Amino acid sequence: MKLLVTPNLYKKIIILFFGLSVWAGAVHADSTFTNLTDQEQIRTFHNVTERIRCICIPSIAIKSCSFNNCTVSAKLKLFIENRIRAGESADVIVDKMIHGFGQDVISDPIIAKFIETGNQGMAQGVIMGFGPDILAKPDSSWIDFSIAAAAAFGILLIYLYLKRRTAPKAAIATESENHSSFDKYISEIEEKQK
């Protein structure tokens, strides 16, 4: 079977690959913004936010958690920035997120705001520690399933498109064969009638 790629199909394939590459770039993009300016502090911030989970969506790291959808995580990111400015390393911050920062952290403006707004659970979590559940353990199985489903759907669409393009040619070939058989039959009848 000879497979021809028409210019129209070629354009569709290019658009499909472009769309997939844009989607893949968006999936792996950092959605974390930081007010830190020192490069070492920014690296520390990214290190910490990769290791701590999002409060609203526990299956992703806080680094990928959206400011718009999870204001608690956004405030926690600001708290992490304050800890980095205070000179704490990534390992120390992650360890204290698990075991607690202690009562001294109440003076931090973010924790004071948690207490002021009645978010005692978050304040107590930071003061006493969240335990090992605060660590990011992203579950990528739904992402893998989505990619596999998209690939299967793409292959199905290509198959249906190619099947549709070859179907009219096969119908024309069958019709011309039937037409020639019919002509042959008519000519035989005409000859017998003579």
Side-chain angles (χ1 to χ4, degrees), residues 17-31:
F17 282 121
F18 177 73
L20 286 174
S21 65
V22 168
W23 176 76
V27 167
H28 296 291
D30 290 337
S31 64

Side-chain angles (χ1 to χ4, degrees), residues 6-126:
T6 64
N8 194 17
L9 179 62
Y10 181 74
K11 288 178 189 176
K12 289 179 182 179
I13 291 171
I14 294 297
I15 290 171
L16 175 70
F17 282 121
F18 177 73
L20 286 174
S21 65
V22 168
W23 176 76
V27 167
H28 296 291
D30 290 337
S31 64
T32 300
F33 172 77
T34 180
N35 293 315
L36 300 170
T37 55
D38 180 53
Q39 289 302 315
E40 188 59 36
Q41 288 181 341
I42 292 171
R43 275 192 285 282
T44 302
F45 178 79
H46 286 294
N47 186 334
V48 172
T49 56
E50 286 174 348
R51 296 165 59 188
I52 302 295
R53 73 171 176 83
C54 177
I55 301 301
C56 302
I57 308 170
S59 65
I60 63 173
I62 198 170
K63 181 177 186 175
S64 301
C65 194
S66 170
F67 284 109
N68 300 332
N69 297 332
C70 189
T71 57
V72 175
S73 288
K75 289 183 183 353
L76 200 54
K77 289 178 192 179
L78 295 173
F79 172 75
I80 292 168
E81 285 182 356
N82 292 344
R83 300 288 85 206
I84 293 169
R85 284 188 192 100
E88 293 182 6
S89 70
D91 291 334
V92 169
I93 294 170
V94 171
D95 185 60
K96 286 184 177 181
M97 290 294 282
I98 296 169
H99 300 103
F101 285 86
Q103 292 294 327
D104 297 338
V105 82
I106 293 175
S107 61
D108 187 285
I110 302 301
I111 304 308
K113 190 71 169 174
F114 280 147
I115 294 169
E116 180 185 315
T117 59
N119 197 342
Q120 297 296 328
M122 278 303 296
Q124 285 302 314
V126 172

